Amino acid sequence: MAKIFLNGFVFGVVLALGVSGCGGEKAKLSASLNRTASLRGDLPANPLAWRVLASSASRNDSTMSTLYGNDVAIQYARTNSDRKYPNGSALSLVTWTQQEDSRWFGAKIPATVKSVEFVWVSSAADGRPSYSYQKFAGTPLKKSSAEEYQVPADRAAELLSQRGAVMP
């Protein structure tokens, strides 16, 4: 009987320590999230929920950017090289200012969001592709420009022409 009690006691202690340890990990994770880099504002979609196509950093203006794509855009980019995205494709370029990483000497991490740009590919009434470009800036993020194109031009063409990173 004492042996069963002792085994139950040991199991209870291990369980209690495991549960309390999990809470500590959640607290550590919450404290380590970079909340200044989060997207706040009235965006048509959350590009951070999409997959990464490419990323870049600019030392000249101390920014870093990530190009995200929805599932249609990602699938097309990984199987085609012409970058004539099909109907339903969506790309978004999120650009942040940079800050020093206090946990890693010499590293830079995203600071505040500078802009979020979207390109949506749809089909016009006549069946030809149609392109919609939107840019959001400020704190919180607000739409600062919007354009519609039959043939991608200006910033929309630039985003659509970016090559995806080679993924293993």
Side-chain angles (χ1 to χ4, degrees):
M1 180 76 165
K3 189 174 184 179
I4 293 173
F5 175 75
L6 184 60
N7 286 341
F9 177 75
V10 170
F11 176 75
V13 169
V14 170
L15 181 63
L17 289 173
V19 170
S20 68
C22 290
E25 289 301 316
K26 285 182 183 179
K28 287 179 190 174
L29 177 62
S30 178
S32 67
L33 292 177
N34 184 357
R35 298 197 191 285
T36 61
S38 64
L39 304 181
R40 292 185 202 101
D42 193 23
L43 299 175
N46 179 6
L48 302 181
W50 297 348
R51 291 189 283 172
V52 174
L53 266 170
S55 62
S56 63
S58 171
R59 288 185 183 197
N60 292 340
D61 58 359
S62 296
T63 61
M64 53 187 15
S65 302
T66 303
L67 180 64
Y68 297 92
N70 68 357
D71 288 339
V72 175
I74 292 288
Q75 179 63 33
Y76 187 81
R78 291 190 177 159
T79 58
N80 296 279
S81 60
D82 64 8
R83 293 188 254 331
K84 293 181 180 179
Y85 288 93
N87 184 23
S89 297
L91 298 174
S92 180
L93 183 73
V94 181
T95 302
W96 292 271
T97 58
Q98 292 180 348
Q99 67 184 6
E100 297 290 329
D101 186 346
S102 63
R103 295 176 186 93
W104 193 273
F105 178 74
K108 303 278 188 177
I109 60 172
T112 58
V113 177
K114 186 173 180 181
S115 65
V116 178
E117 299 170 87
F118 289 94
V119 177
W120 305 90
V121 181
S122 59
S123 190
D126 62 3
R128 291 185 298 163
S130 175
Y131 303 90
S132 173
Y133 170 82
Q134 297 175 338
K135 182 176 181 178
F136 295 79
T139 304
L141 292 162
K142 293 180 184 167
K143 190 185 296 184
S144 60
S145 65
E147 302 288 334
E148 299 288 330
Y149 305 101
Q150 291 301 316
V151 175
D154 304 324
R155 189 70 176 146
E158 191 176 325
L159 294 179
L160 289 166
S161 70
Q162 288 190 26
R163 294 185 59 152
V166 177
M167 302 286 179

